[in-house]
């Protein structure tokens, strides 16, 4: 009987141990801080246990940040998947192989930009006087000024469009490549049955890609949680608290406004718990 090699274990175990330490130590430390009343202005502290968590649910600004985070998650994930599937199918149907490669190269460029760089570029594009994104509005209205980043009703969607611009185009490339890997026989059979193009993709190709599309959606859901730098650069949570997500509010409470690091840690711990529970339930329901 051949002897099993210990080489895979030798390489995998140290890596897993390092990852476990890097993930668990900060998490446990954040939980410990959340059970205390630490502040940046003082080294003294005491144990308050669940008091910070109880206070959160009577904090109207925290509840607003939760609502904004939910809206951000829904808008960016849904819009990204719609753009990705729409553009991927469009390129698959219309573009030649050479054009597809060109489009893929162009669509990958936005996601390669750092989020801060993309935020500054689009912040200038949304400038009410000089921005290229607001120019059509000025042209159609005879020079009226429109500043989407300064209006509570449009600020979140203006910032979300930048996120969709980065990830929707990149996911469109992935969807295109997934469509190219499908066997041609079902598509040809549908065309012989005189099925329209949208029917072919609605009932043949996209159902065949259900598993990878769901995986892409979960990747985007996780990525949308990392929205701090994009929103901070473009609006800093404003106007007012219209675009203040939960991570921005935690940062503000912990390091900008009041230095309540324990209060901010309680938000982070609550966000982690809610995220794990939500993603687990969604994953189980999708896999059912």
């Amino acid at each position: 009987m051949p002897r099993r090699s210990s080489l895979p274990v030798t390489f995998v175990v140290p890596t897993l141990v390092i990852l476990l330490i890097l993930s668990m130590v900060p998490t446990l430390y954040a939980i410990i801080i959340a059970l205390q009343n630490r502040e940046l202005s003082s080294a003294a502290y005491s144990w308050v246990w669940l008091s910070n968590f109880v206070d959160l649910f009577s904090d109207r600004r925290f509840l607003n940040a939760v609502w904004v985070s939910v809206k951000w998650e829904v808008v960016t994930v849904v819009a990204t998947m719609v753009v990705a599937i729409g553009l991927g199918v469009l390129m698959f149907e219309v573009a030649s192989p050479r054009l597809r490669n060109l489009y893929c190269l162009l669509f990958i460029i936005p996601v390669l930009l750092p989020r801060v760089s993309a935020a500054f570029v689009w912040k200038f594009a949304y400038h009410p006087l000089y921005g290229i994104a607001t120019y059509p509005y000025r042209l159609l209205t005879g020079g009226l000024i429109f500043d989407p980043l300064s209006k509570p009703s449009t600020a979140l969607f203006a910032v979300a469009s930048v996120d969709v611009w980065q990830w929707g185009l990149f996911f469109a490339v992935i969807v295109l490549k997934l469509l190219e890997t499908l066997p041609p026989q079902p598509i040809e059979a549908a065309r012989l049955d005189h099925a329209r193009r949208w029917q072919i993709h609605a009932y043949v190709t996209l159902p065949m890609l259900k598993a990878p599309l769901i995986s892409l959606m979960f990747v985007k859901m996780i990525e949308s949680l990392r929205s701090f730098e994009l929103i901070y650069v473009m609006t800093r949570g404003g106007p007012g608290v219209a675009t203040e997500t939960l991570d921005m509010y935690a940062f503000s409470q912990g390091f900008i406004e009041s230095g309540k690091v324990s209060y901010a840690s309680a938000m982070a711990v609550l966000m982690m718990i809610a995220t794990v529970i939500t993603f687990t339930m969604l994953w189980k329901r999708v896999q059912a």
Side-chain angles (χ1 to χ4, degrees), residues 1-270:
M1 186 175 180
R3 184 180 178 183
R4 297 181 64 181
S5 174
S6 61
L7 188 61
V9 177
T10 304
F11 282 104
V12 171
V13 171
T15 304
L16 292 178
V17 170
I18 293 174
L19 290 175
L20 187 63
I21 294 173
L22 292 177
S23 61
M24 292 306 298
V25 170
T27 301
L28 292 175
Y29 190 61
I31 295 174
I32 292 174
I33 293 178
L35 300 176
Q36 301 171 350
N37 61 348
R38 289 181 179 268
E39 295 186 6
L40 290 179
S41 59
S42 174
Y45 68 91
S46 61
W47 292 87
V48 295
W49 304 109
L50 299 179
S51 178
N52 287 321
F53 295 95
V54 174
D55 292 341
L56 285 175
F57 292 98
S58 60
D59 186 347
R60 296 179 62 182
R61 190 171 168 187
F62 167 77
L63 297 177
N64 174 79
V66 172
W67 173 237
V68 171
S69 298
V70 171
K71 286 196 298 182
W72 171 266
E73 192 79 8
V74 172
V75 169
T76 54
V77 173
V78 172
T80 296
M81 295 306 298
V82 169
V83 169
I85 294 174
L87 285 179
V89 170
L90 184 63
M91 289 189 292
F92 182 77
E93 287 291 339
V94 176
S96 63
R98 183 171 296 180
L99 273 178
R100 289 179 189 175
N101 293 332
L102 177 61
Y103 289 146
C104 289
L105 178 62
L106 294 176
F107 287 174
I108 289 176
I109 293 176
V111 80
L112 297 179
L113 290 175
R115 296 293 287 270
V116 174
S117 301
F120 275 114
V121 169
W122 279 93
K123 186 176 182 179
F124 184 76
Y126 281 129
H127 193 281
L129 295 177
Y130 313 110
I132 190 173
T134 57
Y135 176 75
Y137 180 85
R138 298 195 305 272
L139 187 65
L140 293 174
T141 58
L144 292 179
I145 295 177
F146 174 62
D147 187 0
L149 295 179
S150 67
K151 296 181 178 296
S153 59
T154 58
L156 185 70
F157 298 100
V159 180
S161 66
V162 182
D163 184 82
V164 175
W165 170 71
Q166 283 196 294
W167 289 96
L169 298 183
F170 175 61
F171 280 7
V173 175
I174 298 177
V175 172
L176 172 63
K177 296 307 176 183
L178 289 172
L179 289 171
E180 291 177 347
T181 61
L182 292 177
Q185 291 82 3
I187 301 175
E188 293 173 359
R191 286 174 177 165
L192 289 175
D193 289 336
H194 304 288
R196 297 182 179 181
R197 289 183 177 182
W198 70 268
Q199 292 175 322
I200 293 174
H201 293 288
Y203 299 108
V204 180
T205 60
L206 294 181
M208 294 172 68
L209 296 176
K210 179 182 177 181
L213 289 178
I214 290 174
S215 299
L216 279 179
M217 183 184 69
F218 273 92
V219 169
K220 185 65 189 79
M221 290 173 65
I222 296 172
E223 193 281 330
S224 290
L225 295 174
R226 302 166 53 251
S227 59
F228 177 83
E229 64 268 43
L230 182 63
I231 299 176
Y232 186 80
V233 170
M234 294 192 69
T235 64
R236 294 184 182 270
V241 291
T243 60
E244 186 178 63
T245 54
L246 194 54
D247 51 352
M248 288 200 65
Y249 182 44
F251 175 76
S252 177
Q253 286 294 298
F255 302 100
I256 301 297
E257 295 181 11
S258 55
K260 297 179 180 179
V261 290
S262 291
Y263 197 62
S265 294
M267 293 186 216
V269 171
L270 202 62

